[in-house]
Amino acid sequence: MEEHLNYTFPTSYTEILNRVTSIEPSDYARSRNYIDGAVTQLSPYISRGVISTEMVYKHLLERDVAFSTIEKLVQELAWRDYWQQVWIAKGDEINQDLRHPQSDVANQEITAAVVEANTGIKAIDTAIKAFYKTGYLHNHSRMYIAAICCNMAKNHWHHPAQWMYYHLLDGDWASNALSWQWVAGSNSNKKYVANQENINKYCHTKQSGTFLDVSYESLNDFEIPSALKGNTQRSLSTDLPNSDVLVISEEKPTYLFTYYNLDPKWAPTDSNRILILEPSHFKKYPVGEKALNFAVSLSKNIEGLQCYVGEFDDLKKSYSKTVFHFKEHPTNNHFKGTAYDRDWMFDVKGYYRSFFAFWKKCKKEIKNRTASTQV
């Protein structure tokens, strides 16, 4: 199993584009749920805004294959846009129980066994150890970990979600927080649980005798197992780099890049380009050294980029005559200047209570687009 968790994420733009073109959508659809499945490993680049879901979608459409071949991958990409739409609509409400209070909560911490990769579930512990090394988790591993924290150890979802986001290279707070809430039942109609049989199937293990080696019916009335007793409150903070001494030409437009937008093809060549890292943002959404260094490495693809560590309001005061250009995002609603839409796969916008209500509208748009191209 361990050899399947040695994920690597190059940061050169050429290598990232090569990863896009190497996608095998049929293999993805067939095997994505397995720990060694043919996942795209594009999420860190989408989350950091180096590439977009729309870009990947257009590439898939250019292939001479039936839509059914790419549909599962398109649907999974749409999940990312869906979570972002929820964040846009709900704002800071996603930082608390969104639709229902999480039930049966025993504490606001995280079980120490997860943090220490010592749950006794081999597939989970191996995945967490690899996570600390690589900054990446297979989606099934994320769901298993969230289920253990929220529904077995009875942690409230928020702090464990912060812990996971802190270490993720593909940390997208909307996708992360709302997925944790989906598992915990605060953003869904029921909680997500998995037993040892399920874990063995998708992680290719044969473990037995664990606290999860029970029927699904037994998981409905679950006492905290001894292996998960003992919690911890992690201190999460971000060490930001030093700010550059900015050189801004007032004759050129000024484009702002952020932790969520590192698209090297976005800003015109003849422009001031600034990566703004706001301490207030990272206090609210702290990330670890590995995640921050990954983002900084990705920013090297942006020619002439300068790094400003400080608040937008202070930057604006220092350059009061400058018009700032930026991509809209829930984390920079306070920016003032010219906001640009992000690249979305579909025109479907607004809040939908469920992904499948959102996806139904997307499917209708797909059908209409296909019909228009055939006229």
Side-chain angles (χ1 to χ4, degrees):
M1 176 184 166
E2 293 184 31
E3 65 270 18
H4 302 308
L5 302 179
N6 294 323
Y7 303 106
T8 58
F9 296 96
T11 56
S12 81
Y13 193 62
T14 299
E15 289 179 283
I16 295 167
L17 294 182
N18 288 339
R19 186 163 286 194
V20 173
T21 58
S22 66
I23 296 172
E24 294 293 346
S26 58
D27 291 345
Y28 174 88
R30 173 182 51 80
S31 66
R32 57 177 287 274
N33 284 328
Y34 291 88
I35 200 72
D36 58 346
V39 295
T40 68
Q41 297 182 48
L42 291 176
S43 57
Y45 311 115
I46 295 173
S47 295
R48 298 286 66 80
V50 179
I51 59 177
S52 66
T53 54
E54 183 194 42
M55 174 186 174
V56 179
Y57 179 48
K58 286 183 175 179
H59 169 73
L60 292 171
L61 290 177
E62 291 170 357
R63 297 193 174 194
D64 188 21
V65 297
F67 184 78
S68 59
T69 302
I70 65 172
E71 183 171 0
K72 174 48 68 174
L73 179 50
V74 173
Q75 185 184 62
E76 293 305 315
L77 289 169
W79 270 101
R80 305 189 71 83
D81 282 4
Y82 170 67
W83 293 134
Q84 284 294 311
Q85 287 295 327
V86 174
W87 197 3
I88 290 171
K90 296 296 184 180
D92 283 348
E93 290 182 45
I94 73 166
N95 297 333
Q96 55 196 7
D97 296 353
L98 187 61
R99 290 175 54 191
H100 318 286
Q102 180 183 338
S103 63
D104 201 20
V105 173
N107 61 80
Q108 302 288 323
E109 300 174 314
I110 181 172
T111 178
V114 164
V115 174
E116 297 165 3
N118 192 32
T119 67
I121 310 297
K122 293 178 181 178
I124 302 303
D125 294 341
T126 300
I128 294 170
K129 291 174 184 176
F131 176 40
Y132 287 142
K133 293 178 182 178
T134 66
Y136 184 79
L137 280 166
H138 185 279
N139 188 57
H140 243 145
S141 296
R142 302 181 198 212
M143 293 167 63
Y144 294 148
I145 291 168
I148 287 173
C149 287
C150 298
N151 304 330
M152 282 80 196
K154 301 184 180 181
N155 307 138
H156 185 267
W157 66 267
H158 190 264
H159 186 62
Q162 286 184 311
W163 163 81
M164 184 174 284
Y165 177 84
Y166 184 81
H167 295 287
L168 285 170
L169 298 187
D170 65 3
D172 175 330
W173 181 246
S175 178
N176 187 63
L178 293 168
S179 294
W180 274 81
Q181 291 202 52
W182 181 84
V183 169
S186 60
N187 188 34
S188 59
N189 294 324
K190 62 180 182 179
K191 297 185 177 187
Y192 168 83
V193 293
N195 64 9
Q196 188 66 54
E197 181 182 9
N198 183 287
I199 293 172
N200 285 345
K201 175 182 177 180
Y202 291 108
C203 298
H204 306 300
T205 53
K206 297 180 180 180
Q207 193 173 9
S208 62
T210 70
F211 61 81
L212 287 179
D213 193 14
V214 296
S215 67
Y216 273 94
E217 290 75 20
S218 299
L219 294 176
N220 293 327
D221 186 20
F222 203 79
E223 294 295 326
I224 300 175
S226 58
L228 301 182
K229 290 181 178 179
N231 302 296
T232 182
Q233 188 81 21
R234 309 307 291 172
S235 177
L236 305 174
S237 61
T238 304
D239 292 326
L240 294 172
N242 294 325
S243 187
D244 293 333
V245 177
L246 299 183
V247 178
I248 297 180
S249 171
E250 294 187 359
E251 298 176 356
K252 299 178 180 180
T254 299
Y255 284 74
L256 296 183
F257 295 80
T258 69
Y259 188 68
Y260 278 91
N261 173 27
L262 297 173
D263 180 0
K265 300 299 181 181
W266 174 55
T269 302
D270 191 27
S271 63
N272 302 303
R273 303 177 180 191
I274 300 172
L275 170 61
I276 180 170
L277 301 175
E278 293 188 288
S280 60
H281 168 82
F282 291 98
K283 182 177 181 180
K284 187 174 184 179
Y285 303 111
V287 300
E289 182 180 8
K290 187 181 295 293
L292 184 64
N293 288 346
F294 178 71
V296 171
S297 294
L298 288 171
S299 75
K300 304 301 182 184
N301 293 301
I302 304 168
E303 185 178 352
L305 186 71
Q306 302 176 74
C307 180
Y308 173 78
V309 179
E311 303 301 323
F312 173 82
D313 288 347
D314 293 330
L315 179 65
K316 181 64 177 174
K317 287 177 183 177
S318 298
Y319 298 92
S320 58
K321 295 181 180 180
T322 299
V323 176
F324 294 99
H325 302 261
F326 51 88
K327 286 189 180 182
E328 56 80 21
H329 194 273
T331 59
N332 58 28
N333 286 332
H334 59 293
F335 285 12
K336 294 178 176 62
T338 303
Y340 296 78
D341 288 339
R342 280 176 281 167
D343 298 325
W344 303 98
M345 293 170 64
F346 304 107
D347 295 329
V348 184
K349 302 295 189 296
Y351 174 66
Y352 292 82
R353 282 175 61 87
S354 75
F355 168 77
F356 291 101
F358 173 82
W359 178 240
K360 184 177 180 180
K361 291 284 188 179
C362 296
K363 286 289 293 286
K364 184 177 180 180
E365 186 175 321
I366 293 168
K367 182 178 180 180
N368 291 338
R369 286 183 185 180
T370 302
S372 66
T373 60
Q374 293 175 345
V375 173

